[in-house]
Amino acid sequence: MALPVVAVIGRPNVGKSTLVNRLCRSREAIVHDQPGVTRDRTYQEGFWGDRIFRVVDTGGLVFDDDSEFLPEIREQANLALAEASVAVVIVDGQQGVTAADESIAEWLRGQAVPVLLGVNKCESPDQGLAMAADFWGLGLGEPHPISAIHGAGTGELLDRVISFLPATTETDEAEPIQLAIIGRPNVGKSSLLNAICGENRAIVSPIRGTTRDTIDTTLEREGLTWKLVDTAGIRRRRSVDYGPEYFGITRSFKAIERSDVCVLVIDALDGVTEQDQRLAGRIEEDGRACAVVVNKWDAIEKDSHTMSAMEKELRAKLYFLDWAPMLFTSALTGQRVESIFAIAAVAVEQHRRRVSTSVVNEVLQEALRWRSPPTTRGGRQGRLYYGTQVATRPPSFTLFVNDPKLFGDTYRRYVERQIREALGFEGSPVRLFWRGKQQRDAEKEQARHQSRGG
């Protein structure tokens, strides 16, 4: 059962995102003292009493100005209202009623959704009621004095909110797969999200930095439930000023950390840049499953050899992710967009896969037959005794040897390559831990010492 939606509406800089963070007990919504920080509609989960719901935060509404992003923000607010069970319109009690508030009230009176009026920045209990009383004239019902930053009055407001929500029941549904869409600014991440969802889920613009929030969208594909996160474009840290974009990038890195699988979007026209390489390294370092999506494929002049030649060129630069499948798409035409889920599903399956110890050792013995461990000038040779998988997400193996120092990088890469060729793990990084006899003896001694209570 889908959770009911509560839409938070209002003009710029009245504290909508602060209220959303308060209602959802989080800090996900970007809060900054600058109008226009929130542009897309973003979702978080909240609860009050016996009700669970989704809160959608919208951009600041302005009706008498069609300058940069404002028409798109209005469209996002319309889409939020279309799915909402109740709307909470926020106004600034310290500023009083403005012409912008009156325009929003007039617009809301023509909507079918129930509306509650929250008068924010009423920190003083004595003055709050008087400040709120000024807003009766908007015709949106009783004004509720609140302080989003301190929490005053928000409980009473939530009591009214849940009176409009249907009862929710617990389900046994599996947790959705977290899929983070990441990449440099302007490579087409938001366009991909919109193409996947079949609606204008995120504002698309040629202006860099349009997406600032991380935007969660839940849908069903390949028989699985996915939560898609369209992240802010990630630029070099030295190129980013402290402010909304800085917070957006921080959330993008957090989205990578909490994801099950990342879709790294590359611009087919630009190819792989230094920043793409850094993002690839971050994904590998965090141990996330990954698929590489080369967007804007429609803009490339091509013949029957173009795709294979470009894949070879891109992989040479994305050597961090040589294990990740690569897909050539066009968000503009929709070409192969739906195939993203098929390769992402495989990557997630491999990321969570566990192999028995007997199979692991069959692969290792075969690798040893083809190529023996190196021997030092002094005649010492590395010996690989056995191995076992110790973890998933990503698949991790401990290899027991006589001395890890006898196994150089070249032989370690050979062993990893043999494991991949025999066992797969496409779309997932693999971790190998080499443990020597001295390490094992030290651990046994420590265990004996602890068992004696020493």
Side-chain angles (χ1 to χ4, degrees):
M1 176 179 175
L3 294 178
V5 173
V6 178
V8 178
I9 305 289
R11 61 182 175 83
N13 222 31
V14 293
K16 298 185 299 299
S17 295
T18 303
L19 179 64
V20 168
N21 286 343
R22 169 69 61 178
L23 298 183
C24 299
R25 305 179 188 185
S26 78
R27 299 179 66 181
E28 288 298 314
I30 299 175
V31 178
H32 191 67
D33 189 18
Q34 174 186 323
V37 170
T38 301
R39 292 171 176 172
D40 304 288
R41 65 192 198 276
T42 62
Y43 294 83
Q44 294 187 59
E45 190 172 296
F47 65 91
W48 187 253
D50 61 348
R51 306 296 171 86
I52 304 174
F53 49 88
R54 299 177 75 203
V55 179
V56 52
D57 187 16
T58 61
L61 286 171
V62 178
F63 285 95
D64 59 355
D65 188 349
D66 288 334
S67 59
E68 182 179 293
F69 298 123
L70 293 178
E72 290 85 355
I73 289 173
R74 290 197 293 270
E75 179 186 0
Q76 293 293 310
N78 268 311
L79 292 169
L81 283 185
E83 61 182 345
S85 297
V86 60
V88 179
V89 58
I90 302 301
V91 294
D92 187 329
Q94 294 182 3
Q95 289 190 3
V97 180
T98 68
D101 294 328
E102 293 174 342
S103 297
I104 293 171
E106 181 180 358
W107 172 66
L108 285 172
R109 285 195 294 270
Q111 304 293 326
V113 64
V115 176
L116 295 173
L117 177 58
V119 183
N120 194 25
K121 305 182 183 179
C122 293
E123 277 73 30
S124 169
D126 297 332
Q127 300 178 14
L129 289 173
M131 293 164 65
D134 292 341
F135 291 87
W136 277 102
L138 292 179
L140 297 177
E142 179 185 358
H144 298 273
I146 63 171
S147 170
I149 196 167
H150 293 129
T154 55
E156 291 80 357
L157 180 62
L158 279 169
D159 286 340
R160 293 284 293 129
V161 165
I162 65 173
S163 69
F164 292 95
L165 305 183
T168 54
T169 57
E170 295 184 2
T171 67
D172 295 327
E173 294 180 1
E175 285 292 315
I177 298 171
Q178 304 270 355
L179 187 152
I181 304 174
I182 67 168
R184 295 182 293 109
N186 218 29
V187 295
K189 300 184 300 301
S190 296
S191 298
L192 272 176
L193 180 63
N194 289 343
I196 289 169
C197 297
E199 62 165 328
N200 290 332
R201 182 63 188 82
I203 296 173
V204 176
S205 168
I207 300 172
R208 291 176 180 267
T210 300
T211 302
R212 288 171 171 175
D213 298 276
T214 54
I215 305 170
D216 287 3
T217 302
T218 303
L219 44 74
E220 303 285 332
R221 292 291 192 282
E222 299 291 318
L224 301 168
T225 302
W226 303 78
K227 179 178 283 188
L228 309 187
V229 182
D230 174 37
T231 60
I234 303 173
R235 292 194 285 156
R236 297 182 183 181
R237 189 173 295 276
R238 64 174 177 269
S239 303
V240 180
D241 294 329
Y242 183 82
E245 188 180 1
Y246 169 84
F247 295 122
I249 290 172
T250 299
R251 280 162 173 74
S252 295
F253 283 138
K254 287 183 178 179
I256 295 175
E257 292 172 2
R258 67 183 173 92
S259 69
D260 295 302
V261 57
C262 293
V263 170
L264 176 61
V265 184
I266 304 293
D267 190 320
L269 296 170
D270 295 341
V272 175
T273 68
E274 180 184 350
Q275 188 63 4
D276 294 322
Q277 291 177 319
R278 292 186 181 184
L279 290 173
R282 180 67 176 251
I283 293 169
E284 198 282 333
E285 180 182 330
D286 284 355
R288 297 294 174 261
C290 181
V292 178
V293 169
V294 185
N295 192 32
K296 306 182 184 179
W297 187 237
D298 59 292
I300 299 292
E301 293 185 10
K302 43 192 172 291
D303 56 30
S304 59
H305 304 290
T306 305
M307 184 180 293
S308 59
M310 180 172 282
E311 179 170 354
K312 183 177 180 180
E313 178 184 343
L314 295 176
R315 287 198 179 280
K317 295 181 178 179
L318 284 177
Y319 52 88
F320 296 105
L321 302 179
D322 57 354
W323 40 264
M326 185 173 290
L327 186 68
F328 293 81
T329 69
S330 168
L332 183 64
T333 66
Q335 183 183 25
R336 301 190 191 91
V337 168
E338 283 296 319
S339 298
I340 291 173
F341 291 99
I343 63 173
V346 171
V348 169
E349 179 186 10
Q350 296 299 305
H351 194 242
R352 299 175 176 180
R353 184 171 156 221
R354 184 174 288 277
V355 179
S356 69
T357 298
S358 61
V359 171
V360 171
N361 284 286
E362 287 178 13
V363 173
L364 293 177
Q365 290 303 313
E366 184 69 16
L368 289 170
R369 279 193 287 269
W370 280 101
R371 183 175 176 181
S372 298
T375 303
T376 67
R377 291 181 180 179
R380 293 192 67 202
Q381 184 179 26
R383 295 187 179 278
L384 201 169
Y385 302 120
Y386 69 98
T388 185
Q389 185 174 355
V390 294
T392 61
R393 306 190 191 191
S396 303
F397 301 84
T398 294
L399 307 183
F400 297 91
V401 300
N402 57 341
D403 187 351
K405 295 179 181 178
L406 298 176
F407 295 83
D409 291 340
T410 300
Y411 196 82
R412 292 186 182 207
R413 285 194 295 269
Y414 163 73
V415 172
E416 180 178 342
R417 188 165 61 250
Q418 293 299 111
I419 289 175
R420 283 195 176 278
E421 289 178 0
L423 301 178
F425 296 114
E426 183 184 20
S428 173
V430 169
R431 299 280 190 261
L432 300 184
F433 303 103
W434 300 73
R435 290 183 57 206
K437 185 175 184 303
Q438 290 182 345
Q439 291 172 286
R440 299 196 300 276
D441 291 344
E443 289 172 1
K444 289 179 181 177
E445 179 61 30
Q446 183 180 10
R448 284 197 297 268
H449 183 70
Q450 290 176 345
S451 67
R452 290 195 296 266

